[in-house]
Amino acid sequence: MPMNLPPIDDLAAMGLAWARVMPTVTLVPAFGLKALPTSARGILGLALAAAIYPSLVPIVVAERSLPWAFMALEQMALGMPVALAAAIPLWAAAQAGGLVDVLRGSPDGPGLAVIEGRASSFGVLFGVFASVVFLSTGGAARAAEALSITMNSTHPVFALLVVARNLVSGITLSLAIGAPVLAASIVLELTFALIARAASPAQVHALFAPVRALGLLAIVAIVLERIASLIALTVRAPF
């Protein structure tokens, strides 16, 4: 048990655990991103590391002859598949929301975005919703449990398969949300084109942009419950 080991081993195991969880804390939107300062995310990483560091003690004992910096880099690499598996569905939800904003002609989001990049309004909405679902359904505990499993060091192919599966799930989520909105946008464009041709030479083009935006918003509102259910289903099973 860690309590019977020298304090230096406990400290080394804690440092390795922190190195393993840092990719997750850095990449997963649910753990703050721009909403938390870097120091706060470091403290959050220490909190998660404290939960899993006993599983790192055997590594410290077995690899005591290796430099600690080398072991820390190894643990970061082992923690990366878990970080990607948890982050991909959340990022996919945010990107699907961004597609909705692009189609309705409003790609720029609010100035106080809580996710990285040029976040749009629906991108922030879907991203925050996915993060709330991730945290409220025990996503942090599942991530900590996955990070504590040291079998990934002996079976890296399994970890890569998990990442690939979640990448496919993220693409599927984006397509499932974006395809109906894209189809509706095409229908609206064709409808407006026919109206413009029938109303020529009347100037009706100025009305098209706001009507198209309102039409897409109405369609999103109609299917919003299904979109939320799909996001929740994808986010709850990343591991």
Side-chain angles (χ1 to χ4, degrees), residues 5-72:
L5 294 173
I8 188 64
D9 287 338
D10 280 341
L11 185 61
M14 185 66 178
L16 293 182
W18 184 80
R20 181 176 283 198
V21 304
M22 279 314 295
T24 300
V25 175
T26 303
L27 296 179
V28 178
F31 292 123
L33 293 184
K34 290 169 63 176
L36 288 179
T38 303
S39 57
R41 278 184 276 172
I43 294 173
L44 179 59
L46 288 176
L48 288 176
I52 71 167
Y53 95 95
S55 65
L56 277 296
V57 171
I59 296 177
V60 173
V61 175
E63 302 181 2
R64 190 172 295 175
S65 60
L66 296 177
W68 184 88
F70 176 81
M71 291 191 291

Side-chain angles (χ1 to χ4, degrees), residues 206-218:
L207 299 175
F208 287 171
V211 172
R212 181 183 62 181
L214 290 174
L216 287 175
L217 288 176

Side-chain angles (χ1 to χ4, degrees), residues 124-147:
V124 172
L125 175 63
F126 288 173
V128 170
F129 174 75
S131 298
V132 170
V133 172
F134 177 82
L135 294 175
S136 62
T137 57
R142 293 194 302 272
E145 182 180 2
L147 288 167

